[in-house]
Amino acid sequence: MKNVTLNNGVEMPVLGFGVFQIPEEETQAAVEAALATGYRHLDTAASYGNEQAVGAAIKASGIKRDELFITTKLWIQHAPTGNVQDDTKRSFQNSLNRLGLDYLDLYLIHQPLGDYYSEWRAMQDLNKEGLTRAIGVSNFHPDRLVDLIDHNEIVPAVNQIETHPFHQRAADQELMRERGVQIESWGPFAEGKNNIFTDPVLSTIADAHGKSVAQVVLRWLIQRDVVVIPKSVRPERMAQNLDVFGFTLTEEQMNQIAAMDTGASLFFDHRDPAMVSWLGNRRYS
């Protein structure tokens, strides 16, 4: 497995297994299958409702903790019982308890909304205390990312954002590279939108390598130094998604995929007032 080195020296596998939208009752079996296939990087979130199932799978696997890289995410804090910094630390501990772990490898602010500056200050404390090896953010556009960096002590190690052939985030990635932030893709397959799995450009490239379109997309992201966390509940697909290190896309093929970029989200924009209000008013215990 290829690793990337984060800005604090922590090694992070470039390919992991995501559990977004896997029902809680199916998550343990899916994660156990992923770990058996060879995945060692797992990505979940408090808002997914399946941290406990991920933890049960980790325990059942018998894999040593230091062989795993575990990420979860902090939902927007609303300070129902105190201040945001205290509630952030409480939410972190709740996630840690559900996962059955003593520490995290990466803890992310899930949304760039609410008092995320107080959240970040609390996360800096957690990082200094050794409870999470690295801290980062998710869904931050460049303006908010730069503002957070410029006014805090610790630079986010990771920014997990929508990244796929139709929304490639090249300019965002360049800014992150300049600022020492690792880009990580969510939704690498665009959740099947735009007929991605039958796209003629991707299909032609896949045929040339004897690979699937999914493998080509993952290979394209990895060659761009993007960390990626594909999801599947089918063991054969898990294995296929992991088998992307034995071939290389040519410069011409990389350029063909680059030409597919629309420059726009296929899901939602975190700068849209209606979406900001909808996300900001959602609650998770």
Side-chain angles (χ1 to χ4, degrees):
M1 174 62 68
K2 176 184 175 183
N3 291 338
V4 297
T5 302
L6 303 180
N7 59 21
N8 62 354
V10 169
E11 296 284 319
M12 179 184 191
V14 73
L15 179 61
F17 183 75
V19 299
F20 177 54
Q21 293 181 330
I22 299 181
E24 182 180 14
E25 64 273 15
E26 298 177 23
T27 299
Q28 182 174 347
V31 175
E32 286 185 17
L35 291 171
T37 302
Y39 290 86
R40 293 297 180 265
H41 171 187
L42 304 176
D43 180 279
T44 184
S47 67
Y48 299 170
N50 55 18
E51 287 176 314
Q52 190 167 351
V54 171
I58 292 171
K59 183 177 181 179
S61 74
I63 297 170
K64 292 180 180 179
R65 176 66 183 89
D66 61 6
E67 295 179 13
L68 299 171
F69 190 99
I70 310 298
T71 301
T72 194
K73 308 177 193 75
L74 171 76
W75 191 251
I76 304 162
Q77 296 303 293
H78 299 277
T81 59
N83 64 57
V84 171
Q85 286 183 248
D86 289 343
D87 286 350
T88 294
K89 293 180 180 182
R90 187 178 298 108
S91 293
F92 172 86
Q93 190 59 54
N94 288 340
S95 285
L96 210 58
N97 292 344
R98 286 191 290 266
L99 288 163
L101 302 176
D102 296 323
Y103 69 91
L104 288 177
D105 297 283
L106 179 62
Y107 195 43
L108 304 179
I109 291 178
H110 203 157
Q111 306 289 349
L113 305 172
D115 185 7
Y116 55 82
Y117 283 87
S118 291
E119 294 173 357
W120 190 251
R121 286 190 287 271
M123 289 169 63
Q124 289 182 140
D125 290 343
L126 294 168
N127 182 228
K128 292 174 184 177
E129 293 165 12
L131 292 170
T132 180
R133 297 172 66 217
I135 55 176
V137 297
S138 181
N139 297 308
F140 273 58
H141 282 276
D143 54 345
R144 298 199 179 198
L145 180 64
V146 167
D147 192 50
L148 188 72
I149 292 171
D150 285 350
H151 297 285
N152 285 282
E153 180 182 355
I154 297 178
V155 175
V158 168
N159 186 16
Q160 186 182 114
I161 57 175
E162 177 190 351
T163 314
H164 49 72
F166 307 114
H167 193 28
Q168 300 187 12
R169 316 301 287 268
D172 291 17
Q173 182 178 8
E174 182 57 33
L175 180 140
M176 288 183 224
R177 185 179 288 115
E178 292 171 359
R179 292 288 187 142
V181 182
Q182 172 65 49
I183 184 174
E184 181 176 16
S185 161
W186 65 255
F189 305 138
E191 295 187 6
K193 292 188 177 185
N194 289 5
N195 299 312
I196 189 171
F197 295 115
T198 56
D199 179 87
V201 171
L202 297 174
S203 295
T204 298
I205 295 172
D207 289 344
H209 290 278
K211 297 291 184 179
S212 69
V213 165
Q215 288 173 306
V216 166
V217 170
L218 295 176
R219 183 67 213 175
W220 166 74
L221 286 163
I222 290 169
Q223 283 186 219
R224 287 182 53 202
D225 297 319
V226 178
V227 174
V228 63
I229 45 171
K231 176 205 77 175
S232 178
V233 295
R234 296 169 56 182
E236 66 273 17
R237 289 281 175 84
M238 296 177 191
Q240 186 183 84
N241 290 344
L242 201 60
D243 183 23
V244 293
F245 296 98
F247 71 105
T248 302
L249 301 182
T250 67
E251 182 177 358
E252 179 183 2
Q253 289 168 340
M254 293 292 287
N255 290 336
Q256 289 173 337
I257 299 174
M260 297 172 62
D261 192 11
T262 68
S265 170
L266 292 186
F267 299 96
F268 53 83
D269 191 332
H270 284 82
R271 295 165 296 188
D272 172 50
M275 180 55 63
V276 168
S277 181
W278 184 81
L279 285 171
N281 285 288
R282 293 183 68 77
R283 301 290 193 272
Y284 294 97
S285 59

